[in-house]
Amino acid sequence: MFTGREKIVKPHGVSPTEFEELVAQELFNLEVSASDIKIHLKDLYIVSAQQVEVSGSSKAIIIFVPFRLLQKFHRIQAKLVRELEKKFSGRHVVIVAQRTILNKACRRAKKISGPRPRSRTLTHVHEAMLDDLVYPTQIVGKRTRVKLDGKKVLRVILDPKDRGNVEAKTATFSEVYRKLTNKDVVFKFASY
């Protein structure tokens, strides 16, 4: 008998939490029942899942997927997120790739020499997480505002053509990004 346990892959010796098993089971149920995304979901799995408090009563679900499978998730993300939001009674669902951050003084394997890759820097990983959060909407601009007390706020300008689909989720995006990176972000829509 197949179960949702095959939809979550954890490192050896680490068992998934009850919530992660619930998300994996729902992915498995979608693979079995939803005919339009069934073939795409067959080879996909998740790494972990978290639940984040967004505002008072509402919650959001962050699903972490392997970086190598992110493009495959992007193909079906609109349908998958819509179905998962139905299953989880209106909670917003966000899909983010699991990425690695290497510090400046990283000691790499002796076989590989040279500087650390740009894709493994803190700045690049945080920017990529921001892109993952708002997908399929495109980011058309970013501004960093430093307030008088020294606090930085990142203002992200989104494409206005997706305003109808994304406007209700901007608070979720801000809270999830703050939870993952400890940075404040405000989402706006371009006006042209």
Side-chain angles (χ1 to χ4, degrees), residues 54 59-60 92-94 133 168-177:
V54 175
K59 295 185 179 192
H92 291 147
V93 176
V94 175
L133 280 177
K169 293 185 176 185
T170 55
T172 301
F173 293 158
S174 296
E175 198 59 41
V176 168
Y177 191 71

Side-chain angles (χ1 to χ4, degrees), residues 25 34 36 47 64 89 113 119 122 136-137 149 165-166 178 182:
Q25 185 62 44
D36 53 345
V47 177
F64 292 96
S89 66
S113 63
S119 63
L122 180 77
T137 305
D149 60 354
N165 300 334
V166 179
R178 182 180 299 117
N182 291 326

Side-chain angles (χ1 to χ4, degrees), residues 172-188:
T172 301
F173 293 158
S174 296
E175 198 59 41
V176 168
Y177 191 71
R178 182 180 299 117
K179 168 83 172 159
L180 295 175
T181 63
N182 291 326
K183 293 181 180 177
D184 292 328
V185 65
V186 176
F187 292 95
K188 304 273 184 184

Side-chain angles (χ1 to χ4, degrees), residues 39-66:
I39 58 172
H40 297 292
L41 275 175
K42 186 177 77 167
D43 298 326
L44 300 180
Y45 58 89
I46 65 172
V47 177
S48 69
Q50 291 181 6
Q51 192 166 347
V52 178
E53 187 90 18
V54 175
S55 61
S57 61
S58 64
K59 295 185 179 192
I61 298 171
I62 310 169
I63 299 176
F64 292 96
V65 300

Side-chain angles (χ1 to χ4, degrees), residues 144-180:
T144 302
R145 180 174 181 210
V146 182
K147 295 185 177 180
L148 290 174
D149 60 354
K151 190 173 183 181
K152 292 182 181 180
V153 177
L154 179 65
R155 187 171 49 155
V156 176
I157 303 163
L158 301 175
D159 195 358
K161 69 179 171 111
D162 296 324
R163 176 180 237 145
N165 300 334
V166 179
E167 194 164 25
K169 293 185 176 185
T170 55
T172 301
F173 293 158
S174 296
E175 198 59 41
V176 168
Y177 191 71
R178 182 180 299 117
K179 168 83 172 159
L180 295 175

